[in-house]
Amino acid sequence: MLHRTLAFIAAPLLLAGCTTTLPPESTGTASKQRADTLGLVSAADPRAAQAGATMLRNGGSATDAAIATMLALTVVEPQSSGIGGGGFYVRGEPDGTVTTIDGRETAPAQAGPDWFLDAGGNPVPFPDAVLSGLSIGVPGNLRLAAQAHEKYGKLPWSELFQPAIALARDGFSITERFHQYLGLGKGRADKTEFGKALFYDDAGEPLPVGTTIRNPQLAETLQRIAERGPDTFYDGPHGEELASAIAAYTPGDDVMAAADLTSYEAKWRDPVCGEYRSYRICGMGPPSSGATTVYAILKQLEHFDLTALGPDSPVSWHLFAESQRLAYADREIYLGDSDYVQVPVKGLTDPDYLAARGSLISASHSLQHVEAGKPAGVALNWADGEEPAENGTSHFVAVDREGNIVSYTSTVEGPFGSGLTFGGFYLNNELTDFSLVPEKDGHEVANRVEGGKRPRSSMAPTVVYDAQGRLVIAVGAAGGGTIPVQVAKALIGMLDWGLSAQDAIALPGLYSPGDTVAIEPGSALVAMKPQLEALGHKVIERQMPFKANAAQWVDGRWVGAADPRSEGSSVSE
Ligand code: GLU
């Protein structure tokens, strides 16, 4: 089940040395495509975009730039992502080759279905679960970065860390958005003495906008990993101390052990690709629900002439809402970690299946009732779990001069993750992306907790090729369950409505994963409320955590785009 309330965030804030296997690849039509610039980086924070752009200027690849951006975000946007969390990396090459790496956090080996249940078998209150070691999964970003760098990096590993080290050591200033997060993050960002002292004044209030923050502890952590490599994070004293800190955060509970850190692997995964009209859309498969959900929303609408309807038609938004309802019904039941449960990816993305699902959609009225379909490959009768939504994520895109693109979404799950700081960074609360309950009505939940398993994600880093086989778009977003919807909306905006990436991202938000349609207050959709209601929808206005970033191939060059609702920006080199 996808809860409609955000557990932590209040409305105003919403405005705002492991095994290496050969990567599976999806290869499309070869084409010649090369940027006439050094490339670009688009990120949710200009300083992080700049960190990535510096790598491009120094001769780095898109992968180098993306890693430097991820590291810089650890410093300047700690509420959203960092080395204490995980992420998904999707890389597109101009010849059509797509590779993906799964750096999702894992549950400790000893975790089991009762991980979030109390002695009476009831789920522990969500905020208690978040603010404890129970929610902390083994961070994946550094091993993801190491694997990507080993194969696609051009610059030395240590060089990627320099901008982030400088930001942490020399200081960065508190932005408006970060200040808001610090205000709403009381009780979480200030949970440790370290977090409190770093970001709050003596009265416990967030330091003012413009205050320079220096984080020498994080600078030291980054410096050590830069010099000694990623394993120094997972193995030896650092791993042991990290495990002890988590144990001390949650006395009496079984939590992550040093061995869980040592054994962590980032995994090369098959990209999930499908045709939408004349385009090939590729993204991140399980444990993310991102690609299958984005693709279903689009493909189920393929028989409608969205171009003729356009963005000003309430019918367009009604159709978008209906397709979301169908896609999320499937997502809630079938998506989980495919290393543990059979996820029918092929069935869920089968064009005939999606055409049949799409034929349920009527342009003249909303469906009374929506339930999951029966895609091919379904082995069991799963139940819909309990996964409260949060938002603490960042998406960034890097393009290099060879025209390779990295579309990378990085997260600590909720803002400031679990609240636990260690070595100058926040540890994630990703494990609360699992269903807190392992079964419902006698049926198991696909996304239940299991030892070593990865929680289901919504993150949807995406790349798109056009009919000529040219790589034309990279896009992704932050915002919990809204992520696939933001990505699908941006793609409809660009592919069906001919908008620029910037205008497509700026289109109003409409989120309809269940029987209620949430529309973005103050947007053009508010005026369409009566028509949407006349089509049978229950419509509410609600601020939602939208924050997307993209790059688009326009007239022979790459153009970056960042969500106007965010502080994001892009830097071209
Ligand atoms: N942890 C969430 C996921 O993987 C993302 C949270 C967010 O975007 O804010 O889907």
Side-chain angles (χ1 to χ4, degrees), residues 144-188:
L144 181 167
Q147 294 223 15
H149 179 257
E150 190 183 338
K151 187 155 172 69
Y152 300 118
K154 282 186 170 175
L155 297 174
W157 170 256
S158 62
E159 192 169 336
L160 315 183
F161 286 71
Q162 298 314 311
I165 292 170
L167 283 163
R169 186 193 53 217
D170 304 338
F172 65 96
S173 83
I174 294 185
T175 66
E176 188 68 48
R177 187 181 174 92
F178 185 39
H179 183 75
Q180 285 180 343
Y181 268 85
L182 287 171
L184 291 157
K186 282 192 201 174
R188 190 145 157 183

Side-chain angles (χ1 to χ4, degrees), residues 211-294:
T211 308
T212 299
I213 301 293
R214 290 186 183 80
N215 188 344
Q217 207 172 324
L218 180 53
E220 202 185 308
T221 299
L222 293 168
Q223 184 68 43
R224 202 176 47 245
I225 303 165
E227 285 167 9
R228 301 188 201 163
D231 291 352
T232 191
F233 178 91
Y234 294 93
D235 304 340
H238 188 272
E240 281 160 25
E241 284 163 26
L242 177 48
S244 303
I246 297 171
Y249 197 50
T250 318
D253 261 319
D254 285 339
V255 288
M256 186 197 303
D260 293 312
L261 283 148
T262 312
S263 61
Y264 181 83
E265 281 181 28
K267 297 188 177 185
W268 298 95
R269 300 275 189 194
D270 289 322
V272 171
C273 297
E275 308 292 329
Y276 173 62
R277 306 197 192 277
S278 60
Y279 298 90
R280 186 166 70 106
I281 319 277
C282 293
M284 196 69 220
S288 187
S289 62
T292 53
T293 309
V294 168

Side-chain angles (χ1 to χ4, degrees), residues 477-502:
T482 71
I483 292 172
V485 170
Q486 292 183 68
V487 172
K489 182 203 74 177
L491 292 176
I492 290 170
M494 287 183 266
L495 306 179
D496 289 306
W497 295 337
L499 299 175
S500 67
Q502 187 63 38

Side-chain angles (χ1 to χ4, degrees), residues 35-42 52-53 56-57 60 62 65 397-404 551 558-560 570-573:
D36 56 1
T37 60
L38 293 179
L40 73 80
V41 178
S42 174
L56 298 174
R57 208 177 308 131
V397 171
V399 191
D400 62 28
R401 77 165 89 188
E402 275 85 41
N404 302 302
W558 284 102
V559 179
S570 62
V571 180
S572 297
E573 283 295 328

Side-chain angles (χ1 to χ4, degrees), residues 80 88 104 288-289 331 390-394 409 411-415 430 433 455-459 477-481 483 545:
S80 298
F88 296 117
R104 187 70 164 166
S288 187
S289 62
R331 170 199 189 259
E390 287 210 90
N391 65 106
T393 297
S394 232
T409 315
T411 186
V412 288
E413 164 45 11
E430 217 69 52
D433 267 359
R456 184 188 74 196
S457 171
S458 303
M459 298 192 290
I483 292 172

Side-chain angles (χ1 to χ4, degrees), residues 9-161:
I9 282 295
L13 185 54
L14 300 178
L15 288 169
C18 52
T19 316
T20 307
T21 48
L22 274 182
E25 294 176 339
S26 158
T27 307
T29 319
S31 73
K32 249 199 162 343
Q33 191 183 10
R34 193 184 158 96
D36 56 1
T37 60
L38 293 179
L40 73 80
V41 178
S42 174
D45 186 290
R47 297 158 295 190
Q50 193 58 58
T54 302
M55 299 302 115
L56 298 174
R57 208 177 308 131
N58 295 350
S61 65
T63 294
D64 293 324
I67 295 170
T69 303
M70 180 275 286
L71 295 168
L73 285 167
T74 308
V75 183
V76 299
E77 208 197 21
Q79 73 272 29
S80 298
S81 66
I83 61 172
F88 296 117
Y89 161 105
V90 174
R91 180 177 183 274
E93 295 179 32
D95 72 355
T97 305
V98 178
T99 45
T100 74
I101 308 177
D102 161 7
R104 187 70 164 166
E105 298 88 333
T106 53
Q110 61 181 331
D114 59 353
W115 191 247
F116 289 116
L117 302 181
D118 64 19
N122 300 308
V124 294
F126 184 68
D128 296 351
V130 167
L131 294 173
S132 78
L134 291 176
S135 74
I136 303 174
V138 181
N141 268 327
L142 282 168
R143 282 215 160 124
L144 181 167
Q147 294 223 15
H149 179 257
E150 190 183 338
K151 187 155 172 69
Y152 300 118
K154 282 186 170 175
L155 297 174
W157 170 256
S158 62
E159 192 169 336
L160 315 183
F161 286 71

